[in-house]
Amino acid sequence: MVWKIFIAFFIPGIVGYGGGPASIPLVENEVVDRFGWMSVTEFSEMLAMANALPGPIATKMAGFIGYQQAGILGAVVGVFATVAPSLILMILLMSLLAKFKNSPKVKIMTNLIRPAIAVLLGLMAFQFFKTSYDTSGFFQMGFLIAASFLFLEKVKVHPAFVILGSLVYGAIFLGG
């Protein structure tokens, strides 16, 4: 089990160029589709809670899921697997990256990768909306979207409180 946890977070760490937000769909693929440790709904709830806490999202996901699957050892392995690719690359390639950081080819590669990350995040958001619609219905989903927008953009409430309010609303009115 610990080896599977390592793989589930090491692979997204390697291919998740750009850090936390870029790795979320990759972690979801490993955790939901490949290993079946969570449903899409459970993953989205865990992601909402992880976003409400301070710190990098990828390590919070790895710690939570690792702990859920194999206790403290699983949490440690998950967090290590998340940071290991970056740690290894930083140690091995620091001077090489510094040498070529202003290279036009590196800048082009970065600009080409960004749209792919945007598409992956968009697909994940669509899956969350679809799951929300399927489980809660259009009215409940629309109400939470509108209320969240109002509180975040107009009233300027901290996102953690909006997430907490949505969780309480779901628990009370949706039987979550």
Side-chain angles (χ1 to χ4, degrees):
M1 176 58 74
V2 175
W3 177 247
K4 288 181 180 179
I5 293 169
F6 181 83
I7 294 298
F9 292 100
F10 188 76
I11 291 172
I14 290 173
V15 297
Y17 180 80
S23 67
I24 292 171
L26 301 170
V27 170
E28 180 194 20
N29 181 63
E30 295 293 315
V31 170
V32 174
D33 299 331
R34 183 174 180 190
F35 294 112
W37 294 331
M38 296 178 143
S39 67
V40 172
T41 303
E42 291 168 332
F43 185 82
S44 63
E45 290 171 357
M46 181 270 312
L47 181 61
M49 289 302 295
N51 272 322
L53 300 172
I57 187 72
T59 54
K60 291 181 284 188
M61 290 189 309
F64 178 84
I65 295 167
Y67 183 80
Q68 188 182 46
Q69 295 303 309
I72 293 172
L73 179 62
V76 170
V77 168
V79 171
F80 176 74
T82 300
V83 300
S86 297
L87 182 65
I88 292 166
L89 284 174
M90 283 176 50
I91 292 170
L92 297 176
L93 303 174
M94 188 62 114
S95 63
L96 188 63
L97 289 174
K99 184 177 178 182
F100 293 107
K101 73 178 181 179
N102 294 322
S103 165
K105 290 180 182 178
V106 171
K107 289 181 180 181
I108 289 171
M109 181 184 71
T110 301
N111 288 334
L112 292 174
I113 290 174
R114 285 184 181 153
I117 292 169
V119 168
L120 289 172
L121 288 171
L123 287 172
M124 185 181 69
F126 176 76
Q127 287 177 337
F128 287 167
F129 280 119
K130 184 179 181 315
T131 302
S132 178
Y133 176 78
D134 291 344
T135 58
S136 305
F138 180 76
F139 175 76
Q140 300 293 348
M141 181 186 75
F143 174 75
L144 285 174
I145 291 170
S148 297
F149 177 79
L150 176 72
F151 284 118
L152 289 170
E153 297 298 322
K154 302 298 181 191
V155 184
K156 303 293 184 195
V157 173
H158 191 278
F161 294 118
V162 175
I163 292 168
L164 181 62
S166 297
L167 290 170
V168 169
Y169 177 87
I172 293 171
F173 295 105
L174 304 175

